[in-house]
Amino acid sequence: MSFFRYIFLITILVGSTSIGFLLSKSYEERLKELKNILNLVNILKNKIMFTKKPLGELLEEISEIERKNEISKIFIKTAEKLKKESFEKAWQDALYEETFFLNLKKEDIRLLETFGNMMGKTDIEGQINEINQFLILLNGQISNAEEEKNKNTKMYKSLGTIIGLGIVVILF
């Protein structure tokens, strides 16, 4: 009987530690996703400046380059929807469809919404200026995400282990 008790206690400790690691992983994923957005928007900015192609074509090209990350799905879906509706509507629809699968916070999503509201309404120079403003705000979000990650990942990992040890001590 004591063998099963030890297995049970070890399972509790491993489970609570795993939960702590999973909670800390969301902070790392959010930072990674924001950096992917930064990369994709920089590519979009450069393509707008140098190729002068329509936004739909540019989004398709960008989504082909960066197919491996979850953020590129927003660009892919926007390019598909852009054939039927305005950029703003296509971006909003794609954003709402994909944000469920991402680790972004509400303020990150609001920032992405403003990006969709800005694009496709002005000439090339106006779009470049709007992208530059967006990139400044996005860099601020990345800095905040790095601070939160540094602060919270250690805390959740430690807390998961400590809570598990506490439960094991109480039950032992």
Side-chain angles (χ1 to χ4, degrees), residues 68-85:
K68 62 186 175 271
N69 65 51
E70 292 294 319
I71 297 297
S72 65
K73 291 181 182 178
I74 296 171
F75 286 79
I76 293 167
K77 287 194 176 190
T78 301
E80 292 169 359
K81 294 175 183 293
L82 200 54
K83 296 171 184 169
K84 299 175 187 168
E85 49 196 32

Side-chain angles (χ1 to χ4, degrees), residues 7-152:
I7 295 296
F8 177 69
L9 294 175
I10 290 171
T11 304
I12 288 174
L13 179 62
V14 169
S16 65
T17 303
S18 299
I19 290 171
F21 274 81
L22 285 174
L23 290 172
S24 71
K25 183 92 172 136
S26 66
Y27 289 97
E28 295 168 6
E29 288 298 316
R30 176 181 175 230
L31 181 60
K32 182 177 148 187
E33 289 169 358
L34 287 173
K35 287 182 178 180
N36 285 336
I37 294 168
L38 180 69
N39 182 40
L40 290 172
V41 172
N42 274 322
I43 292 171
L44 178 64
K45 176 183 153 185
N46 290 333
K47 287 193 172 281
I48 287 173
M49 284 188 339
F50 298 115
T51 63
K52 298 180 178 27
K53 291 182 182 177
L55 273 175
E57 289 178 34
L58 295 177
L59 291 175
E60 287 175 2
E61 288 177 15
I62 290 169
S63 61
E64 290 298 320
I65 294 170
E66 294 289 329
R67 239 185 222 289
K68 62 186 175 271
N69 65 51
E70 292 294 319
I71 297 297
S72 65
K73 291 181 182 178
I74 296 171
F75 286 79
I76 293 167
K77 287 194 176 190
T78 301
E80 292 169 359
K81 294 175 183 293
L82 200 54
K83 296 171 184 169
K84 299 175 187 168
E85 49 196 32
S86 70
F87 183 86
E88 183 177 353
K89 178 84 170 102
W91 180 262
Q92 299 296 331
D93 291 346
L95 187 61
Y96 289 126
E97 289 174 16
E98 291 301 318
T99 52
F100 179 75
F101 303 105
L102 301 174
N103 291 298
L104 299 176
K105 288 186 157 189
K106 288 181 182 178
E107 59 262 17
D108 302 331
I109 294 168
R110 273 190 246 118
L111 182 62
L112 288 171
E113 287 172 350
T114 60
F115 176 75
N117 294 339
M118 296 184 312
M119 293 302 295
K121 294 183 178 177
T122 61
D123 61 349
I124 291 174
E125 289 178 26
Q127 287 186 14
I128 299 299
N129 289 334
E130 290 171 352
I131 289 174
N132 286 333
Q133 290 174 350
F134 173 75
L135 290 174
I136 291 168
L137 296 173
L138 184 59
N139 280 320
Q141 287 295 101
I142 290 172
S143 296
N144 291 341
E146 285 175 344
E147 288 174 17
E148 286 182 20
K149 177 190 155 259
N150 292 335
K151 182 178 82 173
N152 293 331

